[in-house]
Amino acid sequence: MPSLRGSTAALILCAALPALAQTTPPKPAAKPAPKAAKASPTKKTPPPPPEPVLADADEAQLAAAERAYLGDYACEFKETVNIEKHPKVAGYINVSWKKQVFTMKPVLSSTGALRLEDVTGRTLMIQIANKSMLLDTKIGQRLIDDCVHPEQVKLIEAARAAQINDPEAEAAAAARSGLGITPTAAEAPAAPPVAAKSTKPAKPTAKAK
């Protein structure tokens, strides 16, 4: 009987060996986790330029500053320019256009136009009776034109009314905006030249006998 039991155990062991020989297939290696994308460096906003050092305004500059029309101007292309007094230094003007602010020194010219000169030498704003314009003096071009303040609108309307009531003033204004020749009434055609009469020598008179 022991031999029979031993034989049976041997048979069972032999039957189990193939199953034990089959090993479990290895699991595929896990893929490495993707690296986190590097955050792009944030662009630093450049600091605003330092405020220019402004000299004290003299009496002429203070008087010129009082002649500047303050507030909003309606310009071409539906743009707006704003002019205000400098908040810190008397006699200076701040001109705001788009997102730029120019500090200007007012100068009254001999023609009566008001010049707002950029203290940095970049721009120039000219104020005349019927409009204002902003120029870039570096490139010699206009930045914005046909800027009109409500006070300038009043001057334009008053000038139109004066021209209607005074045709001669209208003609003179037209001449100044043209070639500078004052128009006059139509002249009558010149008369044809008169031919000069030929003078014959007088006959000698007969002497009395």
Side-chain angles (χ1 to χ4, degrees), residues 36-42:
K38 294 182 179 180
S40 57
T42 57

Side-chain angles (χ1 to χ4, degrees), residues 52-54 92 102-105 117-123:
V53 178
L54 304 177
Y92 289 89
F102 309 104
T103 301
M104 305 290 202
K105 175 184 177 181
E117 301 176 352
D118 191 343
V119 295
T120 65
R122 178 186 172 188
T123 58

Side-chain angles (χ1 to χ4, degrees), residues 14-103:
C14 291
L17 286 176
L20 294 174
Q22 295 179 355
T23 58
T24 306
K27 296 182 180 180
K31 295 182 179 180
K35 295 181 179 180
K38 294 182 179 180
S40 57
T42 57
K43 295 183 179 179
K44 295 182 179 180
T45 305
E51 295 186 3
V53 178
L54 304 177
D56 293 337
D58 56 16
E59 292 184 1
Q61 182 178 337
L62 292 172
E66 293 299 323
R67 300 190 62 171
Y69 296 132
L70 305 179
D72 292 334
Y73 290 66
C75 306
E76 61 182 354
F77 310 125
K78 297 182 180 180
E79 295 192 31
T80 303
V81 169
N82 179 269
I83 293 182
E84 298 294 344
K85 291 184 178 181
H86 194 279
K88 297 180 181 179
V89 185
Y92 289 89
I93 300 293
N94 277 354
V95 175
S96 302
W97 175 60
K98 292 185 175 180
K99 295 183 179 181
Q100 305 178 75
V101 179
F102 309 104
T103 301

Side-chain angles (χ1 to χ4, degrees), residues 8-18 20:
T8 304
L11 291 173
I12 295 173
L13 180 62
C14 291
L17 286 176
L20 294 174

Side-chain angles (χ1 to χ4, degrees), residues 39-205:
S40 57
T42 57
K43 295 183 179 179
K44 295 182 179 180
T45 305
E51 295 186 3
V53 178
L54 304 177
D56 293 337
D58 56 16
E59 292 184 1
Q61 182 178 337
L62 292 172
E66 293 299 323
R67 300 190 62 171
Y69 296 132
L70 305 179
D72 292 334
Y73 290 66
C75 306
E76 61 182 354
F77 310 125
K78 297 182 180 180
E79 295 192 31
T80 303
V81 169
N82 179 269
I83 293 182
E84 298 294 344
K85 291 184 178 181
H86 194 279
K88 297 180 181 179
V89 185
Y92 289 89
I93 300 293
N94 277 354
V95 175
S96 302
W97 175 60
K98 292 185 175 180
K99 295 183 179 181
Q100 305 178 75
V101 179
F102 309 104
T103 301
M104 305 290 202
K105 175 184 177 181
V107 177
L108 186 62
S109 67
S110 58
T111 61
L114 180 63
R115 295 167 55 91
L116 302 180
E117 301 176 352
D118 191 343
V119 295
T120 65
R122 178 186 172 188
T123 58
L124 169 68
M125 188 162 189
I126 299 178
Q127 173 187 303
I128 56 179
N130 59 343
K131 70 173 183 177
S132 299
M133 66 192 77
L134 183 63
L135 312 174
D136 189 325
T137 57
K138 294 292 185 181
I139 61 177
Q141 293 182 359
R142 297 184 184 184
L143 296 175
I144 193 69
D145 198 357
D146 292 333
C147 298
V148 182
H149 187 271
E151 292 297 327
Q152 290 170 314
V153 173
K154 295 178 182 179
L155 293 175
I156 294 171
E157 293 175 350
R160 288 175 180 172
Q163 291 176 358
I164 294 174
N165 298 329
D166 189 354
E168 293 183 0
E170 181 180 3
R176 287 192 297 270
S177 61
L179 299 177
I181 302 174
T182 304
T184 57
E187 297 181 357
V194 179
K197 295 182 180 180
S198 59
T199 57
K200 294 181 179 181
K203 294 181 180 181
T205 55

